[in-house]
Amino acid sequence: MVTKRTIFLVMFLAGFISFLTVDWAEAGWVSGYYRRDGTYVSPHYRSNPDGNPYNNYSYPGNYNPNTGRITPGDPNRYLDRYYDRSDRSPYYNPYYNPSYTFPRW
């Protein structure tokens, strides 16, 4: 006989397993590597990437639970590096594509 407690336990475990597989799918350990400019990046933990620079541990002013510290730095320089727009104008739009041509109807 299936009890309410058994049904609850099965549903709880299914929800917990789906939480682990969905929310932590991309999170985890990143091995050390060299960037194109020769800078070495030490091994570290990362969160699930979502394309939002403001909720990253490395964004200045955010708390990093892995180090236990607030990340120092200038948010504008961080965003310049994040969008790789160091040599571009301050009005750079990462979604603008100058080679796009509108279709003729």
Side-chain angles (χ1 to χ4, degrees):
M1 175 175 241
V2 178
T3 64
K4 288 183 181 181
R5 183 176 180 186
T6 306
I7 293 172
F8 174 77
L9 183 61
V10 169
M11 291 181 69
F12 175 77
L13 288 174
F16 184 72
I17 290 171
S18 68
F19 168 77
L20 289 179
T21 57
V22 172
D23 290 338
W24 297 99
E26 296 289 331
W29 182 253
V30 177
S31 299
Y33 62 94
Y34 286 94
R35 293 183 181 153
R36 281 183 275 165
D37 64 359
T39 306
Y40 180 71
V41 178
S42 299
H44 58 279
Y45 285 100
R46 73 169 187 180
S47 59
N48 190 1
D50 62 357
N52 181 355
Y54 301 102
N55 65 2
N56 293 341
Y57 294 150
S58 57
Y59 184 78
N62 285 354
Y63 174 74
N64 185 338
N66 299 316
T67 62
R69 294 184 288 180
I70 302 290
T71 305
D74 177 22
N76 291 325
R77 285 194 70 212
Y78 176 84
L79 292 174
D80 284 342
R81 285 192 314 268
Y82 184 87
Y83 290 116
D84 190 24
R85 60 183 182 194
S86 57
D87 59 340
R88 299 184 181 128
S89 97
Y91 304 106
Y92 172 68
N93 180 351
Y95 303 106
Y96 174 69
N97 182 357
S99 63
Y100 178 78
T101 56
F102 289 96
R104 294 184 182 192
W105 300 105

